[in-house]
Amino acid sequence: MIDSLPVFLEKNYQLSGTLTPLVGELDLNFRLRTSTGEEYILKIAHFGENQQQLEMQNAIMTYLSDRVSTYQLPRVISAGNGQHILKITDDQNRERLLRLLTWVPGELLANTRPHSSALLESTGHLTGTITKALSDFQHPGAQRKLRWDLAQADWLQAYSKELKQPKIVQPFLNDFIKTIKPQIGRLSQQVIHNDANDYNILIDPSQQTASGLIDFGDAVHTLRIADLAILIAYAIMKKPDVLAAAAEVTRGFHQACPLLPEEIKILYTLVGLRLTTTVTVAALNRKESPDHAYHFISEAPAWKALEKWAALPENIVHYTLRGATGLPPCPQRIYFDQWLTNNKDQLAPMFEVNFSETPFLKLNLQVDSPELGNNHDFGTIEKFAETIQRMLAEASVTYGLGGYGEVRPFYSTDAYRVMGNAGPHWRTVHLGVDVWAPADTEVYAPLDGTVFSVKNNAGERDYGPTIILEHKISDQLTFYTLYGHLSLSATEKLEKGDSIKKGTLLTRIGPPPENGNWPPHLHFQILLDMLEGAGDFPGVAFPSEQEIWKHICPDPGVFITKKNILPRGFPTVETLLKDRKKNLGANLCLSYAEPIAMVRGHKQYLYDQEGRRYLDTCNNVPHVGHQHPRVVRVAQRQTALLNTNTRYLYPQLTEYAAALTAKFPDPLKVCFLVNSGSEANELALRMARTYTGWQEMLAVEVGYHGNTNAVIDVSAYKFNGKGGVGAPATTHLLPLPDTYRGKHQNKETAGADYAAYAQTIIDQLAKESKVPAGFICESILSCGGQIVLPENYLKKVFKTVRAVGGLCIMDEVQVGFGRVGDHFWGFELQGVVPDIVTLGKPIGNGHPLGAVVTTRKIADAFANGMEYFNTFGGNPVSCAIGREVLAVVEAENLQQNAASVGNYLLEELKRLQQRFPIIGDVRGHGLFLGFELIKNRKTKIPAPEQAAYLANRMRQRAILMSTDGPDHNVIKIKPPMCFTKADAIFLLEQLEIVFQENQMKVEN
Ligand SMILES: Cc1ncc(COP(=O)(O)O)c(C=O)c1O
């Protein structure tokens, strides 16, 4: 039959072209591309297909083509005889029905990565648009028996026991019979597409949004909400957070096809039913034709999605999906708010002290709280207790209150990391109020209730003894109050069902360790729904879900103080951006398309306003870790004691100078302290010029040495970059010694080849009777794109420059202090000893500090009578900090860590390079690494758009990376030196996810 198709097409449709077979479940499908570039799909139905069904499909497509213009849908092509369905005889001499439809362009959703929130929402909008457009469509063929029709799901019951996990599917089947079937007649019904799966949804690759829908083969007259349920069932497959994905598609669907509350209510069960149908049909198909993988392609992901979906409490799905449509998430809330307004004055006091009179501290435990301070001060339970005590003591109060809606940094650790659809996230938003009070403080019942549960949630940092009371207020309103971190002896006597009278002693605040080992406090929370739980309840929520959870758990502040005790908010990103534009220069750049408002740093991590923890792979300034407690303490103490200048004697200066110079080889034994890397290079240039009496400098292409005048003049990265005016007459550039894409790529000879340019320049200068004062170069070129100098390069350049009396300045601002792993200084990789070394960035771990280290001979020549005075350079605070940084590098073996973690990362990145052709080169030393993105391995054309995409995607997945290099296609990795192997593994996993995304595909 296939051989006869070209003739058939020519004869009946006057079309000819290339036919490509497509994978299909039952039918034979071909893609037809004509010589003029038009595209069609030729569909030959399986033998025995009901013609009325095909007529119905055709009628739907024709109906929609008049009504839907925003999305692409297949259109039916008439044959020359005006017919839409033709007959063709197959190889077994059977008659098959044939149709020709237009080809719908786009990428299948199944092949699209990532499934961003916007993309998922757009699939909802697409599906909702089709559902809505079909609302009045009628066709006799749509009233049919179909096992994929969710309203006909009874048949699944017979097979449920044979399934892999009957326990998971049974509740959905039971709920269908019990609650859905009886109300089917009352729910909206119409003809629907009935199969919005990821092989039927098309994506516009340029917009990354849904653009079209195909395959009306499962269309049926049924519940209209089933269209969304089916879309959800597929949208949640392979997603770590199924609920978030369901909410995204629901939001989009509702925009196009407004949903009714009763429809949203049954979505949980319908999604479960659809997944159950998928696994049941797959199991049956497997039995029938085990070799036909396409028949059970969705089976494994459907089971995984089912497990996750079934594990969710039905009501959290209900509330979340209501929220996605703009309805108040929790329907009881309105009744609770009314009740509270009318009854707040009747609530009994929960404590003996009256917080309208007794002073208390509004305890600020928010992620940006300056009083809470360094992570080190709450990282252990003992430290946390000390901090709470200090905060209360400083305010001279016994009681502290607060916490509802507060974004807290306590749980943003690896142990509490949860993978969401957009990378890791943490539950940081606190849902109760905490009352910090002495252990044994009595707690009274604020209103009548019944004990719903008493449970000791034993374990460090858990709730400890916990009581939940049930309050039945009316037919519409039952709510619960939760009391956590209680005294064991004061809760033991209570039992489920005990009735508790308002104003009676309920319990007491527990002491550590029995209260979860916290400093004594009551966690008090209101719950409008127990969400199928007992004894325990989430006390914190993900920021992305906080609106839902805060709706279920209203602010309990009124119960305690008659007022709400809400945390101070944060300035929004928009406000910060606006104020920045208003008050600061426009050439101050921000990282990432979505800038981040950072509020806290700790080790290799930064935290934003939502308490989201970002792994920092690109900031080498907090060398020993962001906000290292030892450095912080030294800074605080010395600031409190003395800060002055070098016109006095103080040991902080001399001790630091000795400690710093001890790290250098002879004869580099004299240091000058400054405030930044730029200032260090500025001083180094002045020294070289003073020492030699000459002005000319040799520098390297794309080198960067700082932001002041003299150093911009030797920074080709700036003067040859945007807004630059080219090299000044005194600067002479050597080419970037890049062995991957540069002029000389033979690694054996590149060092000598690139160094030879120094001689050429010097010869040229000699013709003008000029001699260079020196040569300045970074030990590994950072802005140049993490360019590792080729072997022998420095040895040869130094020799050439020194031969005419010039000095060799190595800029270690980026790479110094053990970062390169095998050595303490980057220049040591080349086996040379420079004349001057400049230091900055990591030297003060974020404190403004820099240094120039040189020889006694050069330092003496520089002391030509002009005083060297620097108001801040060498002040005792900076010196104390610099010294502590050196001590921590040593105490924590950070150089060794850089070597071992760096080597591991380098090797693993090379492994990724083998899998992903976009990675052209991987290079670096220790924890100073880079990889270069290219469009084609042969041409090595840089891929800056992809590099920017990668950095932005990694930022979305909570990893900070940055791009650099003359073509902005190099990703730099230079994290704080406490970066661990676990961090490296996490980074690699996340990179692998992003490398698989559509935007990262390049030619081989
Ligand atoms: C190699 C190098 N040298 C010097 C500087 C200038 O340092 P600072 O910004 O502290 O003045 C930088 C800054 O990025 C640098 O990368």
Side-chain angles (χ1 to χ4, degrees):
M1 175 178 66
I2 292 170
D3 299 340
S4 66
L5 284 176
V7 176
F8 185 93
L9 279 170
E10 182 67 55
K11 182 168 153 237
N12 291 291
Y13 293 93
Q14 291 75 54
L15 288 172
S16 62
T18 325
L19 279 171
T20 319
L22 303 170
V23 192
E25 202 177 340
L26 294 169
D27 303 342
L28 280 175
N29 293 330
F30 298 88
R31 181 177 186 164
L32 167 65
R33 190 175 279 146
T34 69
S35 51
T36 52
E38 288 154 34
E39 291 200 289
Y40 301 90
I41 178 161
L42 176 67
K43 293 178 82 66
I44 302 171
H46 59 274
F47 174 69
E49 173 65 292
N50 176 333
Q51 179 150 355
Q52 192 191 36
Q53 290 310 315
L54 299 185
E55 282 165 3
M56 174 189 69
Q57 291 179 38
N58 286 355
I60 289 176
M61 287 182 269
T62 307
Y63 185 85
L64 288 174
S65 67
D66 293 339
R67 286 168 179 78
V68 176
S69 55
T70 42
Y71 292 109
Q72 309 231 31
L73 305 169
R75 276 178 296 109
V76 189
I77 304 293
S78 318
N81 62 5
Q83 298 290 310
H84 290 155
I85 300 173
L86 302 183
K87 293 187 173 128
I88 187 168
T89 311
D90 70 12
D91 299 340
Q92 283 94 43
N93 225 5
R94 299 175 308 188
E95 208 166 61
R96 308 271 291 256
L97 302 174
L98 176 149
R99 290 176 300 153
L100 190 67
L101 311 178
T102 54
W103 180 261
V104 179
E107 180 98 50
L108 291 179
L109 177 61
N111 298 337
T112 301
R113 285 190 185 81
H115 285 190
S116 67
S117 302
L119 175 62
L120 288 176
E121 191 174 318
S122 77
T123 65
H125 191 271
L126 159 77
T127 312
T129 302
I130 305 306
T131 313
K132 176 93 178 137
L134 285 174
S135 55
D136 291 325
F137 175 82
Q138 309 273 355
H139 196 281
Q143 310 284 350
R144 58 172 170 150
K145 204 163 175 305
L146 183 72
R147 61 184 184 172
W148 292 104
D149 177 5
L150 291 180
Q152 304 176 37
D154 313 60
W155 72 275
L156 295 167
Q157 195 74 42
Y159 298 92
S160 69
K161 299 228 164 36
E162 292 167 36
L163 291 178
K164 208 166 66 172
Q165 302 188 72
K167 271 205 191 111
I168 288 185
V169 304
Q170 202 54 52
F172 296 117
L173 300 175
N174 295 347
D175 201 47
F176 172 70
I177 306 289
K178 223 170 72 206
T179 63
I180 298 188
K181 259 189 102 173
Q183 56 169 322
I184 283 181
R186 296 194 298 277
L187 292 162
S188 297
Q189 294 189 44
Q190 62 166 73
V191 175
I192 63 167
H193 177 277
N194 203 39
D195 196 15
N197 74 53
D198 47 359
Y199 285 87
N200 286 342
I201 291 178
L202 288 143
I203 305 301
D204 172 352
S206 67
Q207 302 295 319
Q208 288 297 299
T209 52
S211 58
L213 186 66
I214 55 172
D215 192 355
F216 289 83
D218 281 350
V220 65
H221 188 277
T222 184
L223 295 172
R224 73 163 188 165
I225 190 65
D227 244 358
L228 174 58
I230 291 159
L231 175 66
I232 293 177
Y234 288 96
I236 67 176
M237 284 186 204
K238 301 184 190 154
K239 302 288 188 309
D241 183 346
V242 294
L243 187 53
E248 304 295 0
V249 294
T250 302
R251 181 172 299 119
F253 190 96
H254 178 75
Q255 279 157 19
C257 181
L259 297 170
L260 298 169
E262 58 269 30
E263 292 178 307
I264 303 171
K265 183 124 182 38
I266 59 170
L267 270 170
Y268 176 72
T269 301
L270 290 183
V271 172
L273 274 182
R274 173 61 185 217
L275 291 167
T276 305
T277 313
T278 302
V279 296
T280 309
V281 172
L284 296 175
N285 284 345
R286 179 194 298 284
K287 240 191 217 166
E288 264 171 40
S289 46
D291 304 329
H292 220 316
Y294 183 83
H295 289 176
F296 37 89
I297 190 167
S298 295
E299 188 180 20
W303 268 119
K304 283 222 172 81
L306 249 179
E307 285 165 26
K308 287 190 176 175
W309 192 252
L312 291 168
E314 178 172 358
N315 281 353
I316 198 68
V317 174
H318 180 208
Y319 301 158
T320 304
L321 300 186
R322 275 175 65 93
T325 68
L327 283 172
C330 180
Q332 300 88 287
R333 179 63 186 260
I334 184 170
Y335 304 112
F336 176 81
D337 289 346
Q338 278 165 5
W339 171 84
L340 189 62
T341 308
N342 297 333
N343 291 277
K344 64 170 181 278
D345 295 333
Q346 274 83 57
L347 291 170
M350 289 176 62
F351 298 93
E352 258 171 19
V353 289
N354 176 351
F355 287 113
S356 315
E357 291 159 9
T358 308
F360 65 87
L361 173 67
K362 205 177 133 186
L363 206 71
N364 181 0
L365 300 183
Q366 193 144 275
V367 60
D368 65 339
S369 165
E371 301 92 66
L372 180 62
N374 194 291
N375 282 45
H376 173 73
D377 294 325
F378 57 75
T380 62
I381 212 95
E382 293 78 17
K383 281 277 174 197
F384 180 65
E386 277 173 30
T387 298
I388 295 288
Q389 277 314 314
R390 172 182 51 76
M391 290 167 91
L392 294 175
E394 279 174 3
S396 306
V397 294
T398 310
Y399 301 97
L401 296 185
Y404 182 70
E406 198 164 62
V407 177
R408 293 181 167 181
F410 311 132
Y411 298 110
S412 302
T413 58
D414 282 350
Y416 295 97
R417 181 170 72 195
V418 177
M419 262 307 153
N421 298 337
H425 59 163
W426 287 264
R427 290 187 175 89
T428 52
V429 182
H430 195 243
L431 296 170
V433 157
D434 286 325
V435 180
W436 305 87
D440 273 342
T441 298
E442 293 171 338
V443 180
Y444 296 86
L447 73 161
D448 289 349
T450 313
V451 175
F452 180 79
S453 62
V454 186
K455 185 177 170 206
N456 186 7
N457 293 296
E460 180 110 341
R461 290 176 191 239
D462 209 329
Y463 270 138
T466 310
I467 300 172
I468 298 177
L469 297 186
E470 184 176 55
H471 310 282
K472 283 205 164 103
I473 307 293
S474 66
D475 287 349
Q476 289 109 337
L477 180 65
T478 295
F479 73 92
Y480 305 82
T481 47
L482 179 150
Y483 309 77
H485 311 299
L486 303 175
S487 139
L488 202 51
S489 60
T491 53
E492 268 167 356
K493 294 167 272 298
L494 288 173
E495 275 183 23
K496 185 175 166 65
D498 286 355
S499 109
I500 304 289
K501 280 275 153 245
K502 166 174 148 181
T504 57
L505 177 65
L506 174 66
T507 183
R508 291 169 195 273
I509 291 180
E514 69 187 48
N515 70 345
N517 206 18
W518 295 97
H521 71 289
L522 171 75
H523 173 103
F524 178 59
Q525 191 171 334
I526 298 170
L527 328 168
L528 300 189
D529 190 323
M530 279 307 302
L531 297 175
E532 300 168 21
D536 198 359
F537 195 88
V540 273
F542 291 115
S544 58
E545 297 179 347
Q546 63 175 310
E547 294 315 320
I548 307 293
W549 285 92
K550 284 200 229 162
H551 208 253
I552 302 167
C553 301
D555 179 3
V558 175
F559 280 58
I560 295 163
T561 63
K562 308 270 181 240
K563 281 196 225 107
N564 296 320
I565 328 162
L566 297 175
R568 194 178 41 74
F570 299 96
T572 61
V573 168
E574 291 70 31
T575 309
L576 292 170
L577 277 174
K578 201 173 93 229
D579 292 351
R580 189 175 153 111
K581 276 199 184 125
K582 195 166 127 203
N583 303 315
L584 293 148
N587 45 1
L588 214 53
C589 292
L590 277 165
S591 297
Y592 311 116
E594 297 166 72
I596 315 174
M598 290 298 185
V599 296
R600 169 177 292 277
H602 175 59
K603 293 190 170 172
Q604 57 277 45
Y605 309 112
L606 287 168
Y607 300 72
D608 72 8
Q609 296 182 330
E610 292 193 327
R612 191 174 196 214
R613 194 187 77 172
Y614 294 82
L615 177 62
D616 185 353
T617 76
C618 57
N619 197 346
N620 54 348
V621 176
H623 193 63
V624 297
H626 287 278
Q627 280 52 64
H628 193 289
R630 278 184 59 177
V631 179
V632 169
R633 194 172 52 228
V634 158
Q636 286 168 337
R637 287 185 175 172
Q638 189 58 46
T639 309
L641 192 64
L642 174 73
N643 201 12
T644 183
N645 63 57
T646 47
R647 287 203 177 118
Y648 298 104
L649 291 174
Y650 43 88
Q652 290 82 2
L653 175 67
T654 43
E655 283 172 11
Y656 179 47
L660 184 61
T661 52
K663 288 288 183 188
F664 282 88
D666 279 333
L668 293 167
K669 291 296 168 190
V670 182
C671 77
F672 292 77
L673 298 174
V674 294
N675 307 291
S676 68
S678 302
E679 214 190 330
N681 283 321
E682 186 88 18
L683 184 60
L685 291 177
R686 191 146 73 87
M687 271 180 191
R689 286 173 172 151
T690 308
Y691 180 84
T692 61
W694 299 315
Q695 292 301 310
E696 311 299 314
M697 283 299 302
L698 268 55
V700 179
E701 234 177 30
V702 212
Y704 178 63
H705 303 287
N707 61 54
T708 57
N709 288 331
V711 294
I712 292 262
D713 278 355
V714 290
S715 299
Y717 179 73
K718 287 286 174 196
F719 64 65
N720 279 341
K722 265 194 200 157
V725 291
T730 49
T731 300
H732 310 279
L733 292 182
L734 277 72
L736 183 68
D738 173 2
T739 54
Y740 176 63
R741 280 199 301 129
K743 288 185 178 168
H744 306 286
Q745 297 182 8
N746 179 342
K747 288 200 173 145
E748 305 274 299
T749 56
D753 293 341
Y754 279 115
Y757 292 86
Q759 191 60 55
T760 313
I761 296 168
I762 288 171
D763 292 347
Q764 190 60 37
L765 284 174
K767 285 188 198 148
E768 302 164 30
S769 307
K770 289 178 184 164
V771 178
F775 163 71
I776 184 164
C777 180
E778 298 161 67
S779 302
I780 298 179
L781 280 100
S782 181
C783 296
Q786 306 297 82
I787 300 291
V788 177
L789 300 175
E791 224 177 309
N792 289 325
Y793 177 71
L794 287 184
K795 271 192 189 143
K796 291 194 187 293
V797 177
F798 278 24
K799 198 166 166 209
T800 312
V801 172
R802 282 172 172 162
V804 292
L807 296 185
C808 296
I809 306 170
M810 288 314 294
D811 180 334
E812 286 276 333
V813 170
Q814 288 274 354
V815 293
F817 297 91
R819 177 162 296 278
V820 297
D822 292 341
H823 301 279
F824 202 74
W825 305 114
F827 62 77
E828 292 171 302
L829 291 166
Q830 290 264 313
V832 292
V833 178
D835 302 304
I836 304 177
V837 179
T838 58
L839 308 172
K841 289 188 192 283
I843 189 172
N845 210 51
H847 178 82
L849 178 59
V852 177
V853 181
T854 188
T855 65
R856 174 57 62 194
K857 194 170 162 211
I858 295 171
D860 286 349
F862 182 57
N864 61 357
M866 184 193 287
E867 182 193 3
Y868 174 68
F869 177 67
N870 189 324
T871 304
F872 299 120
N875 73 71
V877 172
S878 301
C879 290
I881 290 172
R883 192 147 182 235
E884 197 66 7
V885 171
L886 283 177
V888 176
V889 169
E890 203 141 311
E892 297 184 3
N893 293 321
L894 294 180
Q895 183 182 335
Q896 290 84 333
N897 186 59
S900 64
V901 177
N903 281 342
Y904 170 77
L905 195 50
L906 188 73
E907 287 314 309
E908 291 302 311
L909 285 169
K910 284 185 176 160
R911 231 188 278 269
L912 280 186
Q913 182 188 15
Q914 283 164 14
R915 287 178 47 205
F916 299 103
I918 191 168
I919 309 176
D921 193 31
V922 177
R923 52 188 177 242
H925 282 280
L927 283 175
F928 202 73
L929 305 173
F931 55 88
E932 183 150 356
L933 301 188
I934 40 125
K935 292 189 174 150
N936 179 299
R937 283 243 166 119
K938 279 191 206 87
T939 58
K940 299 185 182 173
I941 293 169
E945 304 85 7
Q946 284 83 351
Y949 173 84
L950 179 94
N952 278 301
R953 284 288 296 133
M954 293 298 279
R955 170 249 180 272
Q956 287 170 348
R957 302 191 68 82
I959 297 188
L960 306 173
M961 306 199 88
S962 68
T963 58
D964 226 321
D967 296 299
H968 312 287
N969 67 324
V970 178
I971 304 284
K972 300 197 280 196
I973 302 178
K974 46 184 186 114
M977 298 269 285
C978 47
F979 197 81
T980 62
K981 186 170 174 195
D983 294 323
I985 291 169
F986 181 63
L987 167 65
L988 291 158
E989 281 167 4
Q990 299 301 305
L991 277 173
E992 193 179 330
I993 290 174
V994 177
F995 277 127
Q996 288 173 34
E997 295 181 355
N998 295 32
Q999 281 83 343
M1000 302 301 281
K1001 291 206 176 91
V1002 292
E1003 296 164 33
N1004 225 323

